[in-house]
Amino acid sequence: MCGRYTLHTSPERLAERFDVAVPDSLEPRYNCSPGQELPVITGDDADQLQRFTWGLTPSWADEKQGLINARSETVREKRSFAAAYESRRCLVPADGFYEWADLGDGKEPYRVAFEDDRPFAMAGLWERWEPPTQQLGLDSFGGGDADDDPEPLETFTVITTEPNDLVSKLHHRMAVVLEPDEEEQWLNEDPDAAAALLDPYPADEFDYFRVSDRVNSPTNDDPDLIEPVDA
């Protein structure tokens, strides 16, 4: 699975790498976690870096669902993801991700990244969900008028696949990492062509290393989290 990742690349480098406008307010993130608003690039607005909530809620859902991952093998069939796969694919910029693995002393966190720490895009899906309108009680304000319409919630999920040879030492799944020349295809190609992109990224450019247990808590988000520690 992909349950935490990093995006500490500078706004200037992100703008150049993905050819998008990046908000000046974008701050480095060392512990991107489910439920947070995080940067994505959608096919609907491919020139802008937007912020959606990590944890997809389908448009038809009665309540929030928070689906952080979608399996590549079943993403086209599962009702939660099928409509988004057809027409609402997105890129999720990152420069590393965390996996928790037992390599001898119990489960410990490891960071996986390119050897040069360059940014990349994970394949994602997005949805816009309209929360149900809440009715005020009959004893409130003398009637049962509807409350103000709640704001739509824009959410995303990260697609996972079989791991490459390196990540398989840590976990049985990994995020779908796209080659740079596959990113535009993922956003805009027809569903059959997009399916061919959902394979493991080659292992030879990746590395992994043990990091601090502080990453276990989403409240910790600082540069020390991506520093190697003794295994």
Side-chain angles (χ1 to χ4, degrees), residues 164-178:
N164 61 31
D165 290 342
L166 182 137
V167 178
S168 66
K169 300 172 184 177
L170 304 175
H171 202 271
H172 65 278
R173 304 290 296 175
M174 70 175 289
V176 172
V177 176
L178 299 166

Side-chain angles (χ1 to χ4, degrees), residues 59-96:
S59 60
W60 45 261
D62 294 328
E63 59 186 9
K64 292 181 185 178
Q65 295 193 2
L67 304 170
I68 68 170
N69 289 156
R71 293 176 65 92
S72 61
E73 298 86 348
T74 58
V75 68
R76 302 181 71 178
E77 289 78 40
K78 289 241 179 189
R79 186 186 177 209
S80 296
F81 307 120
Y85 179 85
E86 291 292 317
S87 59
R88 288 181 292 280
R89 298 189 290 268
C90 67
L91 305 177
V92 182
D95 46 35

Side-chain angles (χ1 to χ4, degrees), residues 104-117:
D105 296 313
K107 282 204 168 184
E108 298 173 327
Y110 291 79
R111 183 170 183 256
V112 182
F114 284 116
E115 293 176 351
D116 60 2
D117 215 28

